[in-house]
Amino acid sequence: MSMLQKMFLAVALTSGIATAASAAGTNEPAGIETAKPMSSAEIYRLYNQNSWMWKAGAGYFSAKARRFTAWSRENGSPSFGTGRWFITESGKLCFNADWHAKTGTATAITCFSHRKKGGLIYQKREPDGQWYVFKSAQAQATEFAKLRHGDYVSSQLGRIETSVSKTK
């Protein structure tokens, strides 16, 4: 697989993550200009031992060795990712994963910046996403509502791994 194909695969596999970022448009939410980066401890509490439920998959942030696992059926194509998640001092959650699909394997680092102001948490996919409200008082209408305590990945991961490896 060429480097270009690997890069395309990595981009395609992570494109379905946090679709709210692309839906947010180009207008920044009110208050973002004075919001402060979240601390590492705050971000850890948000994601640790939680699954982020996506439109066609999920990612799990395990406490054990900060393991990150994910599966997806974006556009009907099964794929899965395994790696580690980490938090930067500048308020970013990142995961470094090897993504596997029928077309091959590629490594990708995906990061999201977090800022807070009062009861609001803002999020943006790096490097060129748009800021959007991640958590507010109306939690059911935000991306935060897609975080669920526990592992919602492992039950599907084995099936996706088998599906992907059968076609390689």
Side-chain angles (χ1 to χ4, degrees):
M1 178 183 296
S2 73
M3 182 58 76
L4 183 59
Q5 287 173 312
K6 285 183 179 183
M7 289 173 45
F8 177 76
L9 173 66
V11 169
L13 292 172
T14 58
S15 67
I17 300 168
T19 56
S22 62
T26 58
N27 297 329
E28 289 190 341
I32 189 62
E33 61 282 344
T34 57
K36 304 292 183 213
M38 290 180 68
S39 71
S40 297
E42 290 170 321
I43 294 173
Y44 183 82
R45 284 191 298 272
L46 271 180
Y47 292 95
N48 183 49
Q49 294 185 332
N50 284 327
S51 293
W52 192 353
M53 310 305 289
W54 305 323
K55 183 178 177 181
Y60 177 58
F61 302 89
S62 175
K64 187 175 182 178
R66 296 259 180 115
R67 183 168 165 78
F68 173 78
T69 52
W71 67 270
S72 174
R73 288 192 183 273
E74 188 76 20
N75 299 321
S77 300
S79 62
F80 68 95
T82 58
R84 301 272 182 247
W85 63 283
F86 59 96
I87 302 166
T88 71
E89 289 300 319
S90 61
K92 291 180 189 171
L93 164 80
C94 300
F95 40 94
N96 183 359
D98 291 328
W99 292 90
H100 306 267
K102 293 177 183 180
T103 56
T105 301
T107 300
I109 297 176
T110 305
C111 295
F112 294 88
S113 288
H114 295 78
R115 291 185 186 175
K116 69 174 185 172
K117 182 177 181 181
L120 292 175
I121 296 175
Y122 302 95
Q123 184 185 68
K124 159 179 125 157
R125 183 171 175 166
E126 293 296 346
D128 52 10
Q130 298 294 319
W131 286 106
Y132 56 92
V133 174
F134 180 76
K135 182 181 180 189
S136 70
Q138 297 82 25
Q140 71 279 1
T142 63
E143 198 68 15
F144 177 76
K146 297 177 184 177
L147 287 179
R148 294 191 188 152
H149 185 70
D151 182 356
Y152 287 82
V153 170
S154 293
S155 63
Q156 291 290 325
L157 191 60
R159 280 179 257 184
I160 298 287
E161 285 176 310
T162 300
S163 173
V164 168
S165 63
K166 279 184 182 178
T167 58
K168 282 188 178 180

